[in-house]
Amino acid sequence: MHPKIHRPTESAIAHAADALLHGHLVGLPTETVYGLAARGDDALAVEQIFVAKGRPRHNPLILHVADADAARRLFADHLSSIQRSRLSGLKTFWPGPLTLIVPKHPSILDAVTAGGDTVAVRVPDHPVALSVLREMSRQNGSPVPVAAPSANVSNYVSPTTASHVAEGLGDQVAMILDGGSCRVGLESTIVFLGTEDSPPRILRSGRLGQAELAARLGEPLTGQQHPQPASALKESHHRPVAAPGQFAKHYSPRAEVFLLPIDSSADPPPGTLHIGFDPIALSDAGSDARSNVWTFAPDGRLETAAANLYLMLRRADQQNYRRIEVVACPEQGIGIAIMDRLRRAASGD
Ligand code: TXA
Ligand code: MG
């Protein structure tokens, strides 16, 4: 095991909280993907995130807090009544895989928001992440927001195990807490709260879908727009936007990814890896080292496929595949978020 990976014992959690409070980077498990954590109210600590990941500074960060009360301190003092009512509906998903984009409190660092006037906030639903956030608050005497992007080198596949974090960023972090494999496996759903004149809007799809969100909101919300290719964003991307700073090329393995139509049969040319969604009997979570036909979902469930998606793309790279053909899945439920990530992985930009 990598020397920086620690079991999340009480003492390891206290140590991680202390390291974060002192401005160091820590690899932290959440229910979605692992985060590269730094204290979010310390400009030098936040700067280290951008350096470690090679992340463009115009791409803003999500602040993580332990509960909705701590979240409220990060929002502008005067939200409109419609924003307050949308917030009260949506925060019932916390702790959970939902990030809210809200007008920011003046105390929030420009480095976090990329100079914009909104802040992204979420309460992660993972016992280790919550323990660290609470321990920081205890040691500090008041809550401290934790900035945490996915703990991968910029544009590579997000990490869903502690080893994934160590592989990409082991040298850059003080420690990594091992919370096991991430339950969801895809990044949080991001929702922009909207304004008096505009409805709430999904900026990034995730485990929580449009119907679930709308039901809790009591009003419709706009779905995710198709991602813009990086080329279209270059000119206009100096400021953060209502749509997140997401380039089409994202979540990509080194291997070239091709999308095949739904239900395509498995007949890959030699040297090409084929990954589908069929419940075929394969050992080792569906990726048999001897075969070039894998499945994301040995049990046929899209939730399982989501949890396996990044692991399998990383494993394909480890096995030095140059080409991966991936079969499309139905765009229902979490299948919408899976297809969003696969399209980005396959985009040639
Ligand atoms: O599940 C997750 O959200 C994970 C875990 C670690 O919490 N975090 C994550 O962070 O995926 P990251 O940095 O890899 O993706 C955050 C996305 C980026 O696309 C960023 O552009 C967008 O959130 N974002 C952050 N602040 C924003 C803002 N104020 N307005 C619009 N988009 C924002
Ligand atoms: Mg990311």
Side-chain angles (χ1 to χ4, degrees), residues 319-339:
Q319 296 191 16
N320 292 314
Y321 281 104
R322 306 285 296 278
R323 290 169 57 100
I324 313 173
E325 50 176 51
V326 175
V327 181
C329 71
E331 295 196 61
Q332 287 153 14
I334 199 166
I336 294 172
I338 291 174
M339 284 305 295

Side-chain angles (χ1 to χ4, degrees), residues 33-34 53 55 59 148-159 187 204 246 250-251 310:
V33 299
Y34 275 71
K53 281 182 60 99
R55 181 183 177 102
N59 195 359
S150 52
N152 51 279
V153 171
S154 205
N155 289 339
Y156 194 60
V157 180
S158 293
E187 302 80 356
R204 179 175 72 185
Q246 289 182 349
H250 221 125
Y251 316 104
Y310 292 147

Side-chain angles (χ1 to χ4, degrees), residues 32 55 59-60 62 64 118 120 122 149-150 188 190 204 244-246:
T32 57
R55 181 183 177 102
N59 195 359
I62 299 174
H64 297 66
T118 57
R122 93 176 188 98
S150 52
S188 58
I190 301 182
R204 179 175 72 185
Q246 289 182 349

Side-chain angles (χ1 to χ4, degrees), residues 85-130:
S85 99
R86 286 170 184 164
L87 246 177
S88 72
L90 290 174
K91 76 181 185 195
T92 57
F93 284 108
W94 286 341
L98 175 66
T99 295
L100 294 180
I101 308 290
V102 183
K104 67 158 199 168
H105 191 270
S107 64
I108 308 292
L109 294 171
D110 274 348
V112 168
T113 65
D117 50 15
T118 57
V119 63
V121 179
R122 93 176 188 98
V123 180
D125 185 14
H126 194 290
V128 175
L130 289 172

Side-chain angles (χ1 to χ4, degrees), residues 36-260:
L36 178 66
R39 71 181 290 170
D41 60 353
D42 175 338
L44 287 176
V46 170
E47 167 65 13
Q48 285 189 60
I49 289 178
F50 290 96
V51 173
K53 281 182 60 99
R55 181 183 177 102
R57 284 174 179 66
H58 56 67
N59 195 359
L61 301 172
I62 299 174
L63 292 179
H64 297 66
V65 290
D67 52 47
D69 275 341
R72 192 173 321 119
R73 299 167 180 236
L74 308 175
F75 303 150
D77 290 327
H78 302 292
L79 299 179
S80 69
S81 65
I82 189 129
Q83 286 171 327
R84 272 184 280 128
S85 99
R86 286 170 184 164
L87 246 177
S88 72
L90 290 174
K91 76 181 185 195
T92 57
F93 284 108
W94 286 341
L98 175 66
T99 295
L100 294 180
I101 308 290
V102 183
K104 67 158 199 168
H105 191 270
S107 64
I108 308 292
L109 294 171
D110 274 348
V112 168
T113 65
D117 50 15
T118 57
V119 63
V121 179
R122 93 176 188 98
V123 180
D125 185 14
H126 194 290
V128 175
L130 289 172
S131 299
V132 169
L133 290 164
R134 289 183 187 129
E135 176 62 13
M136 287 175 76
S137 176
R138 196 191 65 77
Q139 289 183 20
N140 185 64
S142 62
V144 180
V146 162
S150 52
N152 51 279
V153 171
S154 205
N155 289 339
Y156 194 60
V157 180
S158 293
T160 54
T161 68
S163 306
H164 292 166
V165 181
E167 281 156 25
L169 295 167
D171 292 342
Q172 335 280 328
V173 295
M175 64 191 290
I176 301 163
L177 288 173
D178 189 352
S181 294
C182 298
R183 177 163 51 81
V184 176
L186 297 179
E187 302 80 356
S188 58
T189 305
I190 301 182
V191 174
F192 172 59
L193 222 47
T195 63
E196 302 285 333
D197 315 313
S198 66
R201 177 146 68 94
I202 296 176
L203 303 183
R204 179 175 72 185
S205 55
R207 219 286 281 137
L208 290 173
Q210 199 170 354
E212 263 174 295
L213 293 162
R216 208 72 72 87
L217 271 166
E219 66 177 313
L221 77 171
T222 313
Q224 186 188 358
Q225 311 292 303
H226 205 67
Q228 289 175 278
S231 49
L233 285 169
K234 265 177 200 139
E235 303 293 339
S236 62
H237 220 73
H238 303 300
R239 312 249 335 134
V241 277
Q246 289 182 349
F247 304 97
K249 177 82 174 168
H250 221 125
Y251 316 104
S252 306
R254 280 192 307 279
E256 231 179 316
V257 178
F258 299 87
L259 269 173
L260 300 181

